[in-house]
Amino acid sequence: MAGWKAYNELAWLEPILAPPEKYVEETEVYCKAILEHSRIKPVTMLHLGCGAGINDYTFKRYFKVTGIDISKGMLEVAKKINPEVEYIEGDMRNVQLNRKFDVVAIPDSSGYMTNLEDLAKAFRTASSHLNEGGILFVLAHVKEEFVENNFVYSGEKDNVKVTVFENNFLIGPENNSYEATIVYLVRTGNHLQIYSESHLIGLFESSFWYELFKEQGFEVEDKLLLHLYDQYMAADGKYPLRMFVGMKR
């Protein structure tokens, strides 16, 4: 994941394609779920796989945020968007800050755990950084709900116009992953550059998710989110996401 163009040399496109102001409503849904389920007053948050800090733009209104990401390119963008947030380069599978937080959030990056071993490592990281009574918030695809689909994103800023096409394809029902193939059209003035790459994204059955929460000592509630990305879907595509809220006993 660290070597993908999207998260390194193309990271500067992220706020053009996903202006943080545009994602306030979505992130407010996450904040509401966290606040409703927390058994303690949540003040601090560890955001694992924070990317370019698009969610942190809203998270920081509710929590003192520390963001972790494996991509230097994304962290550079995040620091510009949220200069008051602490950002640290690290891998969610093994990072250790020797600190505790009231909330650990993984809203965007659980899919980059493409096998159960890595996903379990991420859960152990989250649990080890969480105060008793704290919340582990995870947004994920669940295998039995997955639908193949296509996205179209676009954005414009100054002299740059960007269009992105993404195809999500299930490699095989026996595999715990799907393929997201992405094509970037980047126009700077009259100059066009085209980039493409494929990402392998983890896809696990709901029973695996529940078991991981149980192993780390969480009570968990979940909710299906169906319409967060409807505006970007091509044709009649669907993009079901499962929101898990784990409460640490």
Side-chain angles (χ1 to χ4, degrees):
M1 68 189 77
W4 286 331
K5 296 185 185 76
Y7 303 133
N8 290 283
E9 59 259 46
L10 297 180
W12 65 278
L13 297 176
E14 191 71 8
I16 300 177
L17 290 165
E21 301 86 356
K22 197 172 182 179
Y23 286 82
V24 170
E25 184 176 353
E26 174 185 323
T27 312
E28 290 277 2
V29 172
Y30 310 155
C31 293
K32 182 180 179 181
I34 291 166
L35 293 170
E36 285 181 349
H37 289 87
S38 183
R39 295 166 179 170
I40 59 177
K41 179 176 175 56
V43 176
T44 57
M45 170 186 280
L46 177 62
H47 183 180
L48 295 176
C50 62
I54 304 303
N55 291 126
D56 294 334
Y57 179 81
T58 302
F59 280 152
K60 68 187 181 185
R61 301 180 185 181
Y62 295 87
F63 315 105
K64 182 180 179 182
V65 180
T66 297
I68 301 287
D69 204 274
I70 199 170
S71 165
K72 291 182 180 179
M74 284 296 195
L75 289 175
E76 288 175 2
V77 177
K79 290 173 184 176
K80 293 177 182 176
I81 294 174
N82 306 297
E84 65 274 61
V85 172
E86 177 188 21
Y87 287 110
I88 300 169
E89 183 181 350
D91 188 326
M92 72 170 69
R93 293 168 293 188
N94 54 39
V95 69
Q96 182 51 254
L97 302 183
N98 297 311
R99 283 189 269 160
K100 300 282 188 179
F101 298 82
D102 301 323
V103 181
V104 176
I106 315 177
D108 286 319
S109 54
S110 64
Y112 293 110
M113 306 297 102
T114 55
N115 59 68
L116 285 172
E117 181 181 355
D118 282 350
L119 190 59
K121 288 179 180 177
F123 263 67
R124 287 194 289 270
T125 297
S127 182
S128 71
H129 286 87
L130 198 57
N131 285 319
E132 291 185 10
I135 292 291
L136 172 56
F137 176 90
V138 181
L139 199 66
H141 295 289
V142 172
K143 190 171 184 178
E144 54 263 40
E145 298 166 351
F146 179 79
V147 180
E148 292 180 346
N149 53 55
N150 297 288
F151 287 98
V152 181
Y153 303 93
S154 62
E156 181 177 351
K157 185 176 181 180
D158 300 328
N159 200 35
V160 179
K161 296 181 179 180
V162 188
T163 303
V164 173
F165 301 94
E166 178 181 335
N167 170 254
N168 292 337
F169 176 73
L170 185 62
I171 299 170
E174 71 283 357
N175 293 319
N176 288 326
S177 58
Y178 71 92
E179 184 180 77
T181 300
I182 308 171
V183 179
Y184 295 81
L185 306 181
V186 184
R187 294 184 183 274
T188 305
N190 293 323
H191 178 62
L192 172 65
Q193 291 177 288
I194 302 174
Y195 306 89
S196 65
E197 62 185 2
S198 290
H199 298 187
L200 197 64
I201 309 296
L203 189 63
F204 305 102
E205 294 177 359
S206 57
S207 58
F208 292 141
W209 287 101
Y210 298 138
E211 186 61 30
L212 285 171
F213 277 101
K214 182 180 178 181
E215 286 177 358
Q216 294 302 318
F218 290 95
E219 297 175 24
V220 62
E221 294 188 14
D222 64 289
K223 181 179 180 180
L224 182 63
L225 302 179
L226 288 171
H227 303 295
L228 285 182
Y229 290 87
D230 281 359
Q231 61 182 312
Y232 306 111
M233 302 299 303
D236 296 320
K238 296 180 181 179
Y239 196 67
L241 288 165
R242 181 67 57 173
M243 181 173 68
F244 295 95
V245 183
M247 295 149 279
K248 191 169 185 178
R249 298 190 184 98

